[in-house]
Amino acid sequence: MSVKLPKKLYYSIGEVADAFNVSPSKLRYWETEFKELQPKKKRNGIRKYTPKNIKALEQILYLREEKKLTIDGTKIALNSDPNDIQKKELLEKLKSLRKDLIDFRDSL
């Protein structure tokens, strides 16, 4: 799953929810369930997601949506098999590179 977010230091919960097509309440719930997803909070409670949080959310969504794991299964997978997630990231990068190369070839 690849998400199109502008390069920024921090993202609001609304931006992240829109980018991943999930509700802000789901993000807030997942913060309580996954220690990998802990956005910074301002004094007034506004959440600010970092690029590291975005990567963690991509992994969580991949495991929940693509692999159809439960929350407990997702927690186990996040803690036990980092190679699976790295393989997924590498595969996504290769697919993106292949698409770019095909687009480039077609433009010639």
Side-chain angles (χ1 to χ4, degrees):
M1 168 178 285
S2 182
V3 167
K4 300 290 186 206
L5 280 171
K7 299 285 183 195
K8 293 175 22 178
L9 292 177
Y10 298 103
Y11 303 94
S12 70
I13 192 169
E15 289 174 313
V16 175
D18 288 342
F20 285 100
N21 198 27
V22 296
S23 67
S25 61
K26 183 181 273 191
L27 293 176
R28 287 190 293 272
Y29 173 71
W30 283 354
E31 288 174 24
T32 64
E33 293 293 324
F34 300 105
K35 67 180 187 321
E36 297 83 6
L37 186 63
Q38 295 297 318
K40 296 179 186 238
K41 291 183 183 175
K42 290 182 157 185
R43 284 186 182 163
N44 58 1
I46 294 176
R47 292 161 171 82
K48 293 296 180 183
Y49 289 82
T50 63
K52 183 179 177 183
N53 297 133
I54 301 300
K55 282 292 211 192
L57 186 57
E58 284 178 339
Q59 293 172 349
I60 291 166
L61 274 172
Y62 169 73
L63 293 169
R64 294 276 297 141
E65 306 282 325
E66 300 292 324
K67 291 214 167 190
K68 305 290 186 200
L69 296 178
T70 63
I71 288 181
D72 290 334
T74 302
K75 287 178 186 177
I76 292 168
L78 286 172
N79 293 328
S80 67
D81 194 6
N83 289 333
D84 187 38
I85 294 169
Q86 289 173 347
K87 288 177 189 175
K88 183 232 100 52
E89 290 175 353
L90 182 59
L91 185 60
E92 289 290 327
K93 287 179 185 177
L94 287 173
K95 286 180 182 178
S96 174
L97 180 61
R98 183 173 189 266
K99 180 187 175 299
D100 291 343
L101 287 172
I102 289 172
D103 290 344
F104 179 70
R105 180 196 67 193
D106 292 344
S107 70
L108 292 178

